[in-house]
Structure formats: C-alpha cells, structure tokens
Amino acid sequence: MPENILLESPLEGVRVIRLNRPKVLNALNADTIAEINAALEGFATDEAVRAVILTGSDRAFAAGADISEMSGQTVSSMVTQNRFALWQRIAEFPKPLIAAVNGVALGGGLELAMTCDIMIAGETARFGQPEINLGIIPGAGGTQRLTHAVGKSLAMEMVLNARMLSADEALRAGLVSSVYPPEVLMHHAVLLAKQLATRAPLALRAAKASVNAAFENSLTQGLAAERQNFYLLFGTQDQKEGMQAFLEKRRANWQGR
C-alpha cells in the first residue's frame, strides 16, 4: 500500500490521486513521485479508468521538493539517480490528467501540477517557483513549462525573483483554466473528469498527444503529428460509431477500440 498518497474512486471511470504528507505540506520526496507513477501505470492499462485527478489538501497541493532529502545531494548523485525520469513518465501518462490545486503549489509542487493536462484552482491557491531562494533553479520543467504557459517576462520574474501568483493572476496568465471557491474545487474537478470520461477514449489520447506536440515541436512538426493522429482515428471502431451516432441522432457508445 502507498504511504504518501491516497487513491479514491469518486465516480465510474474517474480516479483521484491525493498527496498525503500533511506534516510537510505534501513536500515531494522520491517515494511520493514513485507512488504517483505506480498508480498512473495501473490506471494507464485499466480500461475502466478514463480520467484521473491529482490533488493535495486544502492547505497545500505541494509545497515543493523535500529539501531534507535533497540538501545532501551532489552533482554525481543527481545525475546517477536520474530523479526526473519519473517526472517525465507522469507527463507521458496517456489519459486526461487534471491537477486540482488548493493552497500552495510551489517549486516542485507547481512543476508537478504543470505535468498535468488541465489545471484548475481554488480561489486561495498560490503558485510560485522560489528555488532561487535555495541557490538553485527549477529542475523538473519549471523554466520550460512555465514559460510556455505564462510567457517569457512573467516566467522570468517568477523564476529569477520568486514572484508568487494568486489564483486570479494564474487564471489571467493562462496557467490555470478555471478558479472556484476552495470548498467546491474537488466537486468541479470531478465534474470535469466525469465529462472527459464520457469522451471517445482513443480520440482523447490522440487529442492529448496532438496538443502536447504543439509545445514540444515546431509548427510544421506539430501539424504533421496532428494530421497523423487524425488519420489513424479513422481506423478505429469509435470513429465509425461516433459518426454513425451523429447521423442517427443518438448518443455514441464508445468502446475504446
């Protein structure tokens, strides 16, 4: 059984991974990231799981990396441990992954939220990359994903000068897609996941991969990836069912095939 996360099943097709290290505001150690990966690996191959929510507590999504674990590291140990390989596997999870952020999402906490596909926030949430205060920089994608999300100038201020964003600022900057009162954040996260769970599973995977290609490639390469994914969906039963259901004015019965 995992020690640092809780697994919940609020609705059919929806799973929740809840960070559960309350004494350290869900600081992210290696064991926590490994447990998240193990859960996602199981969900990736479970056809009953259509969408996943990653969340923390009311006080903290995650307050950053576990500095007690990191402080004694060396260049050699950081390279040989390759600690960020597991972070990349979270980003590569093939199904929709929603980050529901209440409280603080700082340093590695914000980086973890940014590996997700959609980020929503409670009104009291706060976001930041304060690694500069520790004499380091973000190392799990913070300088890259944050810049894609909010633009160069604001990302520079957050990374170079530890600027914090409120939930409303994060919404205006495009870091999050929606903001809700903190007490109903999970309700809306589950509703969003429920909606995603009703979509054609293979089309969801292709759509996620295609949007990610826009961030990872040139426009020409991204368009090629989109076109390939579009064509490949015409070899699925879901494409035939979806278009036939549209013509017959009925609800589609997705099979994920």
Side-chain angles (χ1 to χ4, degrees):
M1 293 293 293
E3 297 182 356
N4 301 297
I5 62 173
L6 301 174
L7 301 179
E8 304 167 9
S9 303
L11 286 175
E12 182 179 356
V14 176
R15 299 293 183 269
V16 175
I17 300 174
R18 187 180 297 275
L19 302 175
N20 187 41
R21 302 187 73 209
K23 293 182 179 180
V24 290
L25 295 178
N26 294 331
L28 300 169
N29 60 8
D31 288 343
T32 302
I33 298 299
E35 289 176 10
I36 294 171
N37 265 277
L40 290 176
E41 286 179 1
F43 296 154
T45 56
D46 186 345
E47 292 187 2
V49 179
R50 299 291 183 87
V52 179
I53 300 165
L54 180 61
T55 193
S57 66
D58 291 341
R59 293 183 62 199
F61 177 81
D66 191 329
I67 304 305
S68 65
E69 180 183 75
M70 189 180 292
S71 61
Q73 297 288 339
T74 65
V75 173
S76 176
S77 66
M78 293 296 284
V79 171
T80 55
Q81 289 173 14
N82 195 17
R83 62 186 298 124
F84 296 129
L86 290 181
W87 292 70
Q88 183 59 29
R89 284 163 58 181
I90 296 172
E92 293 170 354
F93 178 65
K95 300 178 182 181
L97 183 57
I98 301 164
V101 179
N102 263 329
V104 294
L106 303 177
L110 178 52
E111 289 174 304
L112 179 61
M114 289 191 295
T115 65
C116 299
D117 305 309
I118 301 170
M119 196 190 317
I120 64 174
E123 292 171 341
T124 57
R126 299 185 70 201
F127 304 86
Q129 298 286 172
E131 287 90 342
I132 199 74
N133 293 331
L134 301 173
I136 58 172
I137 66 170
T143 65
Q144 304 302 301
R145 292 191 176 96
L146 184 65
T147 305
H148 277 298
V150 306
K152 177 182 176 181
S153 184
L154 182 54
M156 281 288 193
E157 191 171 355
M158 293 176 70
V159 173
L160 273 62
N161 204 35
R163 175 175 170 178
M164 302 276 285
L165 296 186
S166 67
D168 285 341
E169 288 173 324
L171 179 63
R172 292 195 297 270
L175 183 61
V176 305
S177 62
S178 302
V179 174
Y180 301 100
E183 65 273 13
V184 297
L185 175 67
M186 280 304 296
H187 170 75
H188 286 281
V190 171
L191 283 180
L192 175 57
K194 179 183 177 182
Q195 291 172 337
L196 293 170
T198 67
R199 310 298 184 189
L202 295 178
L204 277 178
R205 291 184 181 223
K208 171 174 176 170
S210 298
V211 172
N212 281 334
F215 287 89
E216 297 165 2
N217 302 297
S218 68
L219 176 59
T220 298
Q221 292 169 317
L223 287 170
E226 176 190 78
R227 195 166 299 118
Q228 180 183 47
N229 289 327
F230 177 79
Y231 292 155
L232 289 174
L233 287 171
F234 280 79
T236 67
Q237 295 178 25
D238 280 352
Q239 175 268 326
K240 303 296 187 290
E241 166 64 13
M243 292 191 175
Q244 192 62 35
F246 176 84
L247 293 172
E248 296 174 0
K249 297 180 172 57
R250 61 174 174 82
R251 184 183 297 273
N253 180 25
W254 307 120
Q255 298 297 317
R257 296 176 175 83

